[in-house]
Amino acid sequence: MPELQSLKFERLRKRPDFLLAAKAPALSRGAVFIQMRKRPDDEDPTVRVGFTATKKIGGAIDRNRAKRRLREAARLVLPLHARPSHDYVFIARGGTTVREWGRLLDDVKTALISLAAEYDRGGAKVPQRRPGAPSLDTKSEAASSQQPDPKVSG
């Protein structure tokens, strides 16, 4: 485990970084979903962290509250369990805003430990999409790959 002082933390803010993390192994525990991506630049020990909440969480107030709670949980737990040269994306789930604080911290901790263990075993699980579901990259890619229906007259 690296020394706590030697780890630097940065925020993920650009969409391409989030999209790369979406293709990486991920794990869900309780009210949090975490994606962990190993970056190819091993010489940079910086840990990068991003946070997101979809509209399924609720309105802007609920989404902001969920992200604030995840940021604070990450601030407390990541220095103990983060790996250098990795990106982490924390995604709020339905119960993030109302989850008891101790249980939310437990969710984050166990997700990080389990994700690291799966990664070490070489069998990190990636969430599977349903067959026929659009890819995460772009909506236009999914739209352009659709074939016109030959039964419909034009």
Side-chain angles (χ1 to χ4, degrees), residues 4-154:
L4 295 180
Q5 292 83 11
S6 67
L7 279 181
K8 289 189 323 184
F9 291 90
E10 290 180 1
R11 287 281 304 274
L12 287 177
R13 296 183 188 275
K14 297 184 180 173
R15 187 170 190 267
D17 292 329
F18 282 88
L19 291 176
L20 285 173
K23 296 176 184 175
L27 195 67
S28 174
R29 287 286 185 269
V32 68
F33 185 80
I34 300 177
Q35 300 166 335
M36 181 177 99
R37 175 183 168 257
K38 172 98 170 96
R39 288 192 320 273
D41 54 349
D42 286 331
E43 62 274 351
D44 181 17
T46 303
V47 175
R48 300 188 316 173
V49 186
F51 304 90
T52 188
T54 66
K55 287 187 177 182
K56 289 180 184 178
I57 301 299
I61 293 170
D62 294 327
R63 291 193 309 271
N64 289 337
R65 180 164 193 229
K67 287 189 284 188
R68 278 195 310 269
R69 295 188 86 202
L70 288 178
R71 279 194 295 269
E72 182 61 16
R75 187 185 70 80
L76 295 173
V77 177
L78 270 179
L80 304 173
H81 300 287
R83 294 187 168 199
S85 301
H86 280 72
D87 291 345
Y88 294 89
V89 175
F90 288 72
I91 301 172
R93 294 181 69 199
T96 305
T97 57
V98 295
R99 186 85 159 174
E100 182 183 316
W101 180 244
R103 291 187 70 193
L104 183 63
L105 287 175
D106 273 349
D107 293 343
V108 171
K109 178 181 168 185
T110 57
L112 288 172
I113 291 170
S114 299
L115 201 53
E118 284 292 325
Y119 186 83
D120 288 342
R121 282 194 292 269
K125 295 190 173 50
V126 178
Q128 299 295 317
R129 291 185 327 213
R130 295 181 323 271
S135 70
L136 298 174
D137 291 337
T138 60
K139 290 179 184 176
S140 62
E141 181 182 302
S144 67
S145 67
Q146 293 177 349
Q147 298 295 322
D149 189 358
K151 297 177 186 173
V152 178
S153 61

